[in-house]
């Protein structure tokens, strides 16, 4: 439900990018390295940034390991192998291209976490005895009832479109597709409810095989039609079949062609797709990126908890949409603030929601990490196709297992 005047019509747009987009290549490398370290060392401290460009990968950041197995994963050849394996997994394997797994140069500068930060996160070493937050900051979580997975419809469709493009490429159905692509979806709302699809944009890298024979500066119409019939239609029919219409505006590679792409076409950086990673512009964002960060960094773990809280509130039927803000001070365990906004869709006022959230959910870094089971190698999959609105064993923050607790707590406060 989009907030606008009763009966008013409006458009809202969100975008997503594929696993082969340069910024997502960087995110996946950072998270693949995190996974390689957190598996042998669940207490590892990691903050790795990645830059990718033409045949070149740069890593920089801080890593503190606690055992020989994690130290081995951080050895130069092991790091380079993880980088190359990740690039290969994404699909950049053409030895003749200007960015490929086996030919790109890999440079890295990694050192231990600052002891001044470490003492605030390690129990008993800082001013406080309990494990504190790894940094100050504010984090948001959001949920609404527009889709089955309680995500806003525009970003959910945008994610599923690039996911479908990747599947069509990897299974050979559309073998001329290349890894880099983007999607954009505009949804029409009336009275805050999605009522139709307005515009869908697909920009996807491709081989020269599908260039128009008469004009090699544009993609052939037949290839565009294949994208419509084998990617766009299946996704819409699966996610929101009633909203498909022949009036939907479609833009397929609107520049004409997209042959040069990936890190050879644009430089990519970790953390540069924070709105894609969250809710596509719906709800607010605290500004912190996710990838390459271990769960002591509340930029990541507390944002996951905020989504978990918001999703359970909506799943419980206690609000049609919900935004949760958590905020922390570095080295301090308890959040400095908790705020809940249900946008007028709940019977309870904000101050009662704050009390419920503090009572029902564990909000200190140590407890939320334990509750969501975040000290394990689950992060590579989060770095593509969205951190939210996903299913699978790794996405514990998408579970709706606190519905009964929330209903009981809300009922008790309503009775007061």
């Amino acid at each position: 439900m989009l907030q606008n005047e009763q009966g008013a019509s409006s458009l809202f747009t969100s975008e997503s990018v594929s696993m082969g987009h340069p910024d997502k290549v960087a995110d996946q490398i950072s998270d693949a390295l995190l996974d390689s370290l957190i598996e042998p060392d669940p207490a590892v401290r990691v903050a790795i940034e990645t830059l990718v460009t033409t045949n070149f990968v740069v890593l920089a950041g801080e890593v503190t390991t606690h055992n020989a197995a994690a130290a081995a994963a951080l050895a130069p050849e092991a790091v380079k192998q993880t980088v190359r394996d990740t690039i290969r997994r994404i699909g950049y394997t053409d030895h003749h291209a200007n960015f490929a797994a086996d030919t790109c140069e890999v440079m890295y500068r990694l050192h231990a976490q600052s002891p001044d930060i470490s003492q605030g996160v390690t129990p008993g070493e800082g001013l406080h005895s309990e494990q504190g937050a790894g940094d100050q900051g504010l984090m948001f979580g959001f949920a609404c009832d527009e889709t089955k997975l309680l995500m806003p419809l525009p970003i959910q469709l945008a994610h599923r479109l690039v996911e479908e493009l990747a599947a069509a490429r990897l299974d050979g159905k559309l073998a001329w597709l290349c890894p880099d692509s983007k999607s954009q979806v505009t949804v029409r709302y009336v009275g805050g409810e999605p009522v139709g699809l307005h515009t869908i944009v697909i920009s996807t890298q491709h081989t020269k095989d599908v260039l128009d024979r008469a004009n090699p500066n544009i993609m052939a119409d037949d290839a565009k039609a294949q994208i419509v019939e084998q990617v766009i239609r299946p996704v819409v029919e699966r996610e929101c079949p009633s909203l498909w219409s022949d009036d939907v505006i479609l833009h397929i590679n609107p520049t004409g062609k997209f042959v040069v792409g990936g890190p050879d076409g644009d430089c990519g950086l970790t953390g540069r797709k924070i709105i894609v990673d969250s809710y596509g512009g719906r709800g607010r964002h605290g500004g912190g990126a996710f990838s390459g960060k271990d769960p002591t960094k509340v930029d990541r773990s507390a944002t996951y908890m905020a989504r978990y809280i918001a999703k359970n509130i909506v799943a419980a039927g206690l609000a049609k949409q919900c935004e949760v803000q958590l905020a922390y001070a570095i080295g301090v365990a308890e959040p400095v603030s908790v705020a809940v906004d249900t946008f007028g869709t709940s019977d309870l006022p904000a101050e009662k929601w704050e009390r419920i959230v503090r009572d029902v959910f564990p909000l200190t870094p140590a407890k939320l990490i334990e509750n969501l089971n975040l000290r394990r190698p689950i992060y590579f999959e989060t770095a593509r196709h969205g951190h939210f609105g996903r299913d699978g064993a790794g996405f514990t923050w998408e579970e709706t297992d606190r519905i009964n607790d929330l209903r009981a707590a809300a009922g008790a406060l309503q009775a007061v």
Side-chain angles (χ1 to χ4, degrees), residues 59 296 354:
L59 311 172
T296 66
E354 177 185 338

Side-chain angles (χ1 to χ4, degrees), residues 15-26 28 52 87 90-93 99 161-163 165-166 169-170 174 176-183 202-207 219 227 253 257-268 272-273 385:
E15 70 159 349
S16 186
V17 299
S18 70
M19 65 172 75
H21 184 281
D23 295 329
K24 281 287 132 192
V25 173
Q28 288 165 95
V52 292
I87 296 169
I90 293 167
Y92 288 110
T93 57
F99 186 81
L161 285 167
V162 293
E163 193 173 62
L165 281 167
R169 170 175 61 89
L170 293 170
L174 297 178
W176 45 265
L177 288 172
C178 296
D180 193 1
S181 64
K182 302 178 76 171
S183 65
I202 296 289
S203 295
T204 183
Q205 188 185 11
H206 56 84
T207 66
M219 186 184 197
I227 289 175
N253 279 1
K257 65 176 182 176
F258 188 176
V259 174
V260 178
D264 184 39
D266 287 290
C267 178
R272 205 159 59 177
K273 286 292 177 283
H385 307 147

Side-chain angles (χ1 to χ4, degrees), residues 91-159:
Y92 288 110
T93 57
D94 184 353
H95 293 231
H96 302 291
N98 290 324
F99 186 81
D102 294 328
T103 57
C104 65
E105 180 183 356
V106 180
M107 177 187 295
Y108 77 96
R109 297 290 185 272
L110 301 172
H111 58 84
Q113 182 183 51
S114 161
D116 298 345
I117 296 174
S118 178
Q119 71 178 26
V121 180
T122 305
E125 289 191 5
L127 287 176
H128 306 277
S129 59
E130 192 173 354
Q131 176 184 328
D135 200 354
Q136 69 176 44
L138 52 143
M139 303 85 205
F140 289 94
F142 183 81
C144 63
D145 62 0
E146 290 179 14
T147 61
K148 292 178 290 186
L149 294 175
L150 304 184
M151 287 287 285
L153 181 59
I155 188 64
Q156 188 73 0
L157 283 176
H159 283 326

Side-chain angles (χ1 to χ4, degrees), residues 390-404:
R390 306 283 299 277
D391 50 22
F395 294 86
T396 51
W397 50 93
E398 292 296 312
E399 295 176 2
T400 52
D401 52 358
R402 294 300 182 94
I403 290 174
N404 291 334

Side-chain angles (χ1 to χ4, degrees), residues 364-386:
T364 65
K367 290 179 180 178
L368 69 85
I369 289 169
E370 179 183 7
N371 184 261
L372 296 178
N373 196 12
L374 298 180
R375 293 191 185 275
R376 56 197 177 113
I378 58 173
Y379 296 103
F380 174 79
E381 286 300 328
T382 70
R384 52 184 180 177
H385 307 147

Side-chain angles (χ1 to χ4, degrees), residues 22-24 26-28 30 48-50 268-275 277 285 287-293:
D23 295 329
K24 281 287 132 192
D27 282 345
Q28 288 165 95
S30 290
I48 297 176
E49 312 293 341
T50 302
L269 294 169
T270 300
R272 205 159 59 177
K273 286 292 177 283
I274 59 175
I275 300 303
D277 282 347
H285 198 291
F290 305 144
S291 290
K293 297 178 180 178

